[in-house]
Amino acid sequence: MRNVEIKAKVKNIVILLQKAKEISQSSDILKQHDTFYNTTKGRLKLRRFTDSGNGELIFYDRPDTEGPKLSVFKKANVEDIDNLNQVLTEALGSKNEVKKVRHLFLAGQTRIHIDEVENLGNYMELEVCLKPEQTCEEGEKVAYEIMKQLGVQKEDLVSGAYADLLLK
């Protein structure tokens, strides 16, 4: 699975939420708790959906650059999340945890995340889910168009994962 992603610092969450609502077909609010593990390449995280008790194991690899970038990822649904966390922590070691409230909006092939990240602040992510025949460049065009609709400026863009930003 592939997508084109951007991450940006949010200046005014109320305005951004309203703009996202205007361009989306659906929305949801999710409480998430991510544990990141030590890896030799990419990132591996166990995501707990704190409202349901379920989760998913996600591996992804993408460059740590600002602006649109290609991300390749794999996901697996997880039910025995606490035991899996213990196994992964013992085998790999955990490096960080990220707790957030995610406002999820769906706009065409794009997932808009507006996140309230504990101990970090407000951020937004765009994930343009690429179709098999789409190029990265086509996904970048979609990302830039949605950035424009949301009023996200290039100077707002950040690189890295929330786990990395929390370590700084």
Side-chain angles (χ1 to χ4, degrees), residues 98-135:
V98 175
K99 295 178 182 178
K100 64 185 173 288
V101 174
R102 169 162 284 174
H103 302 264
L104 169 64
F105 299 89
L106 301 177
Q109 71 187 91
T110 304
R111 295 170 56 92
I112 302 167
H113 303 155
I114 301 174
D115 296 330
E116 300 172 58
V117 185
E118 191 175 291
N119 299 317
L120 192 59
N122 299 325
Y123 287 81
M124 64 86 57
E125 296 178 336
L126 297 179
E127 292 180 351
V128 180
C129 302
L130 295 176
K131 299 171 186 167
E133 70 278 4
Q134 277 185 304
T135 65

Side-chain angles (χ1 to χ4, degrees), residues 58-111:
I58 306 167
F59 170 78
Y60 64 98
D61 197 14
R62 69 168 186 239
D64 286 331
T65 57
E66 294 175 0
K69 60 201 138 288
L70 181 66
S71 178
V72 179
F73 63 97
K74 297 201 182 298
K75 290 183 184 184
N77 292 327
V78 177
E79 290 181 16
D80 194 1
I81 202 154
D82 290 331
N83 282 332
L84 181 58
N85 179 52
Q86 289 176 356
V87 169
L88 290 170
T89 299
E90 190 154 327
L92 302 172
S94 65
K95 67 178 183 181
N96 208 351
E97 294 191 12
V98 175
K99 295 178 182 178
K100 64 185 173 288
V101 174
R102 169 162 284 174
H103 302 264
L104 169 64
F105 299 89
L106 301 177
Q109 71 187 91
T110 304
R111 295 170 56 92

Side-chain angles (χ1 to χ4, degrees), residues 10-28:
V10 171
K11 292 177 184 169
N12 186 321
I13 194 168
V14 174
I15 291 172
L16 186 60
L17 285 167
Q18 182 58 42
K19 287 181 178 181
K21 195 177 294 182
E22 289 170 4
I23 67 169
S24 69
Q25 294 86 33
S26 66
S27 64
D28 198 3

